[in-house]
């Protein structure tokens, strides 16, 4: 039987954050340039996640096969299919944003691609997509499902994903736009995992594809008018504007059959 409690669910990610912040402080003390501190400090935090997560699932979820339960392991064909589906959805969402900005006169084409930029985009997409999806749609979604049931867990994991990623120094309208956009993305990623039969790779492809694709567009293909309205473009993040909202709502409608899910019993701890 699962042995969970809310304190453990709160303290587990807090410990990972402590590893990340502690790494940043150590790197700062060692004189590492500020631009490199976050990316280097993320390495021990991700390593801690990979080491501790299967231990937690065995101990608190009573799960004998943690990586299968998290959606990381599956048949090669199923993994490839899920990953491709996620990447294609990311391309479609970015195409919608690009076309809308071009038609509104807020975008100009300035190709400046190079091999280094493309490799950075792939590394960024895979790194962010895998690590964040393993944490949010793998561990958090699963643990909340055991504690609250799958429907409440779907909304709560999306809300927490939104709050963690929002910049609270933004003006109120932009802040609300980004919060809503991130909530919609969190819901879409959760439904993607359901649609893929529990595999995490579709969500990784969608999330990582959006991160890598926007990096390539913004750094290597287009220039966006700095005065583009925030309600349209979002605060340097297209999912925080009307265009991004529209694309994500359409994606949620496509995934509407996956809103319903069988309930899972919660276990005391």
């Amino acid at each position: 039987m699962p042995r969970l409690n809310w304190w453990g669910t709160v303290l587990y990610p807090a410990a990972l954050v402590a590893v990340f912040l502690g790494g940043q402080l150590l790197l700062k003390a060692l004189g590492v340039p500020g631009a490199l501190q976050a990316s280097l400090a993320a390495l021990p935090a991700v390593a801690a996640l990979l080491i501790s997560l299967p231990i937690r699932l065995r101990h608190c979820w009573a799960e004998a096969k943690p990586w299968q339960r998290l959606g990381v392991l599956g048949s090669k064909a199923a993994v490839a299919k899920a990953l491709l589906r996620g990447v294609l959805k990311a391309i479609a969402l970015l195409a919608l944003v690009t076309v809308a900005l071009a038609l509104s006169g807020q975008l100009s084409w300035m190709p400046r691609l190079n091999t280094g930029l493309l490799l950075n985009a792939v590394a960024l997409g895979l790194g962010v997509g895998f690590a964040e999806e393993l944490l949010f749609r793998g561990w958090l979604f699963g643990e909340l499902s055991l504690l609250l049931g799958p429907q409440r867990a779907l909304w709560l994991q999306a809300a927490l994903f939104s709050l963690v990623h929002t910049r609270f120094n933004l003006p109120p309208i932009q802040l609300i736009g980004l919060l809503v956009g991130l909530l919609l993305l969190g819901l879409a990623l959760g439904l993607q995992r359901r649609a893929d039969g529990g595999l995490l790779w579709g969500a990784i492809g969608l999330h990582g594809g959006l991160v890598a694709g926007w990096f390539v567009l913004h750094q290597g293909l287009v220039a966006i008018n700095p005065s583009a309205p925030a309600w349209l473009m979002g605060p340097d993040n297209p999912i925080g504007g009307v265009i991004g909202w529209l694309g994500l709502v359409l994606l949620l409608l496509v995934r509407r059959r996956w809103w319903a899910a069988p309930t899972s019993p919660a276990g005391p701890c």
Side-chain angles (χ1 to χ4, degrees):
M1 289 289 293
R3 298 184 301 151
L4 293 171
N5 60 50
W6 282 105
W7 278 114
T9 303
V10 171
L11 291 176
Y12 178 67
L16 296 174
V17 172
V19 172
F20 174 71
L21 295 178
Q24 280 192 304
L25 290 175
L26 178 61
L27 291 168
K28 183 177 181 180
L30 293 174
V32 175
L36 297 175
Q37 289 175 14
S39 56
L40 291 177
L43 296 177
V46 172
L49 173 67
L50 295 175
I51 294 169
S52 64
L53 198 50
I55 297 173
R56 179 167 181 81
L57 262 69
R58 291 190 181 99
H59 178 70
C60 291
W61 293 24
E63 177 56 59
K65 298 180 178 179
W67 293 115
Q68 286 89 337
R69 180 71 176 272
L70 289 164
V72 175
L73 296 183
S75 71
K76 292 181 180 179
V79 167
K81 182 179 179 181
L83 183 61
L84 179 60
R85 289 168 64 187
V87 170
L88 289 176
K89 289 181 179 65
I91 292 172
L93 287 171
L94 290 171
L96 175 65
V97 170
T98 303
V99 170
L101 288 174
L103 292 176
S104 63
Q106 303 296 333
L107 176 149
S108 56
W109 292 97
M110 295 180 61
R112 49 199 184 279
L113 288 175
N114 56 65
T115 303
L117 187 145
L118 292 175
L119 291 175
N120 282 340
V122 172
L124 181 65
L126 285 175
V128 171
F130 181 78
E132 293 203 358
E133 289 311 300
L134 182 61
L135 183 62
F136 283 97
R137 256 60 59 181
W139 167 74
L140 181 63
F141 195 5
E143 193 142 312
L144 292 177
S145 295
L146 289 169
L147 289 165
L148 298 173
Q151 295 306 92
R152 291 177 181 174
L154 176 66
W155 285 93
L156 185 53
Q157 62 83 24
L160 292 172
F161 177 76
S162 176
L163 290 171
V164 166
H165 286 82
T166 296
R167 306 198 311 271
F168 287 93
N169 60 338
L170 294 170
I173 297 299
Q174 295 183 32
L175 175 61
I176 292 171
L178 189 55
L179 279 169
V180 173
L182 287 166
L183 176 69
L184 294 173
L185 179 58
L187 289 171
L189 291 166
L191 293 178
Q192 183 66 49
R193 185 180 177 192
R194 283 185 179 175
D196 291 326
L199 279 176
L200 202 60
W201 291 96
I204 292 171
L206 175 54
H207 190 166
L210 288 173
V211 171
W214 184 246
F215 179 82
V216 169
L217 281 171
H218 205 227
Q219 301 295 325
L221 286 176
V222 302
I224 298 172
N225 187 347
S227 62
W231 63 266
L232 178 70
M233 168 63 200
D236 297 324
N237 189 330
I239 66 170
V242 171
I243 305 171
W245 285 13
L246 175 61
L248 289 168
V249 168
L250 290 173
L251 182 56
L252 290 175
L253 289 174
V254 170
R255 285 275 170 260
R256 62 187 180 275
R257 62 175 290 199
W258 300 104
W259 281 101
T263 57
S264 299
C269 182

